[in-house]
Amino acid sequence: MSVFPAAAVNGAAGRLAQVDALRGFALFGILVVNIGVFASPFYGAGVADPAYSRPLDLAVRWLIAWLFETKFYLLFSFLFGYSFTLQMAAAERGQAAFAPRFLRRLAGLAVLGGAHAVLFYQGDILVTYALLGLGLLLCRRMAPARALRIALWLIVLASLAWALLGALAFLDPVPADYAAQYRADALSAIEAYRGTIGTTIAQHVKELVEAVWFTVLFVQGPFVFAMFLAGYALGRREALADPWRQPRALGLLCALGLLPGLAGSAAYATSSQPFAGAAWELPGLAADLLTAPLLSMSYAAALLLALRTRLGGRLGGWLAPAGRMALSNYLMQSVVCAFIFTAWGLRLFAAVSPLAAFGMAAAIFAAQLPLSAWWLRRHAYGPVEWFLRALTIGAWPAWRRAREG
């Protein structure tokens, strides 16, 4: 018997508890990846870290690349698209114009994301969500089948583009001094992040200008929008309102995506190791970008199936509150990591092993689970969600949760 019963599916304020549980699950995977960026200038670089290149370090990095990288932001993006349809329905029920509401919401995300990127985490994705959300708004009357076709074509064509770039990389070899130059840049980053708050912010801006904006917009961007559309299409069909009506369909989705997803991710994880050589990075990335949506789909289907078991239902009960205030938790994770690794606090940048960083991620998320549940027993929304809702509806929403009975 599950402790995540159908009666609880709609949760507080008409929310779908299973969607919140999925969002909480995605939040953990995102933290596992992001903390690697916080911890080391060599994370995901394909260049050996002089301090942490033992077999254990390489194995941990390989496993994180295989099972976590590029998977969970896709799931988060899918849920953004799905929630877009719930917001449309809420506006319709309230007889409010949806477009102005959503534009105000996107403006809030852009402001929060810009501050987040400059102050705490240069890999912020909220600004990208705000920009691509404009495109999603234009698609709000699109037929679900057409949205799914466009999403599929975006994934295939963007993956092929990166595969072509990877093939061209073999014709234009990586400069011989690439690794040496990268190490010099890494030492400069270490000095900046261990320096002062001012040097930390300046390094964020430097990385944003030089590389991060390109990665977020042109590597993640097409796939974020594809998952927006996929989430929108399934939201229009209310696919997650009761996903357990057809458990065999969930099992089939899990099975179909698992093997190709794991294979593509294994190629990517191996190509990103220092021994593989920089020329293999783009082909490995292309293989992963093509198959990562399949693995994300498998993860989501597996969790939905697990929610109907006793143990999985208990896990869902813990994840759902964290997912309800996912934006607050996402930003909180960055603040905590900035305190641990940069001049905002302990200055442990480049001084923590990959395994220790993973352990820190698990500890931070484990602390967020009961904290989220405690907060939502007393408040109607997470603190950042409250601000964003106020901006969206143009009024002050309830701060305290209404007492029952």
Side-chain angles (χ1 to χ4, degrees), residues 84-392:
F84 174 78
T85 65
L86 301 180
Q87 293 162 30
M88 288 174 60
E92 184 177 351
R93 288 194 302 270
Q95 297 182 331
F98 174 69
R101 276 189 168 197
F102 193 66
L103 287 171
R104 290 194 294 269
R105 187 177 188 85
L106 294 181
L109 283 177
V111 171
L112 288 169
H116 178 227
V118 171
L119 296 176
F120 301 113
Y121 180 53
Q122 70 278 25
D124 167 82
I125 203 170
L126 298 180
V127 174
T128 302
Y129 274 27
L131 293 174
L132 295 179
L134 295 172
L136 183 59
L137 183 63
L138 295 175
C139 297
R140 66 187 183 277
R141 294 185 179 88
M142 184 179 289
R146 186 183 179 197
L148 283 175
R149 286 196 300 271
I150 293 175
L152 179 60
W153 277 111
L154 269 176
I155 291 168
V156 171
L157 292 176
S159 301
L160 287 177
W162 283 105
L164 178 60
L165 289 175
L168 293 175
F170 282 97
L171 302 177
D172 184 18
V174 176
D177 63 344
Y178 168 77
Q181 181 59 51
Y182 191 94
R183 291 190 183 95
D185 292 341
L187 290 174
S188 176
I190 292 170
E191 184 178 355
Y193 284 128
R194 292 181 179 178
T196 66
I197 292 174
T199 62
T200 294
I201 292 173
Q203 183 66 22
H204 285 158
V205 173
K206 178 177 183 287
E207 293 179 17
L208 281 165
V209 171
E210 292 182 354
V212 173
W213 70 270
F214 179 86
T215 300
V216 172
L217 286 179
F218 293 100
V219 179
Q220 293 182 336
F223 299 91
V224 166
F225 193 66
M227 298 309 286
F228 278 6
L229 291 177
Y232 162 81
L234 269 68
R236 285 283 302 274
R237 293 172 174 174
E238 300 183 346
L240 295 181
D242 185 7
W244 305 287
R245 287 175 299 180
Q246 297 180 333
R248 289 184 179 180
L250 288 176
L252 184 62
L253 287 174
C254 186
L256 288 177
L258 192 62
L259 289 180
L262 289 174
S265 292
Y268 163 73
T270 304
S271 70
S272 63
Q273 292 285 300
F275 61 76
W280 287 101
E281 287 186 39
L282 288 182
L285 176 64
D288 182 63
L289 292 175
L290 181 63
T291 59
L294 295 173
L295 192 52
S296 295
M297 175 184 72
S298 293
Y299 285 174
L303 180 61
L304 287 172
L305 286 171
L307 291 178
R308 306 309 292 162
T309 67
R310 178 174 294 277
L311 183 61
R314 291 186 183 278
L315 175 62
W318 281 101
L319 289 173
R324 276 184 61 192
M325 48 185 289
L327 182 56
S328 295
N329 281 323
Y330 170 70
L331 295 174
M332 186 193 306
Q333 288 170 357
S334 292
V335 171
V336 172
C337 287
F339 177 81
I340 293 171
F341 294 106
T342 74
W344 284 101
L346 303 178
R347 296 179 171 87
L348 294 181
F349 187 63
V352 172
S353 72
L355 183 59
F358 177 82
M360 289 178 177
I364 292 168
F365 189 69
Q368 287 185 312
L369 294 178
L371 181 60
S372 298
W374 172 84
W375 180 273
L376 290 173
R377 283 195 295 269
R378 292 160 176 80
H379 300 85
Y381 307 96
V384 184
E385 286 77 8
W386 181 88
F387 162 76
L388 200 59
R389 180 165 177 78
L391 191 62
T392 300

Side-chain angles (χ1 to χ4, degrees), residues 47-81:
V47 176
D49 184 336
Y52 299 106
S53 290
R54 299 168 301 172
L56 177 61
D57 300 322
L58 296 177
V60 171
R61 285 202 185 98
W62 190 90
L63 286 170
I64 290 174
W66 183 39
L67 298 176
F68 289 89
E69 287 181 19
T70 75
K71 317 313 183 285
F72 288 90
Y73 84 87
L74 294 177
L75 179 54
F76 213 75
S77 301
F78 169 84
L79 294 170
F80 184 94

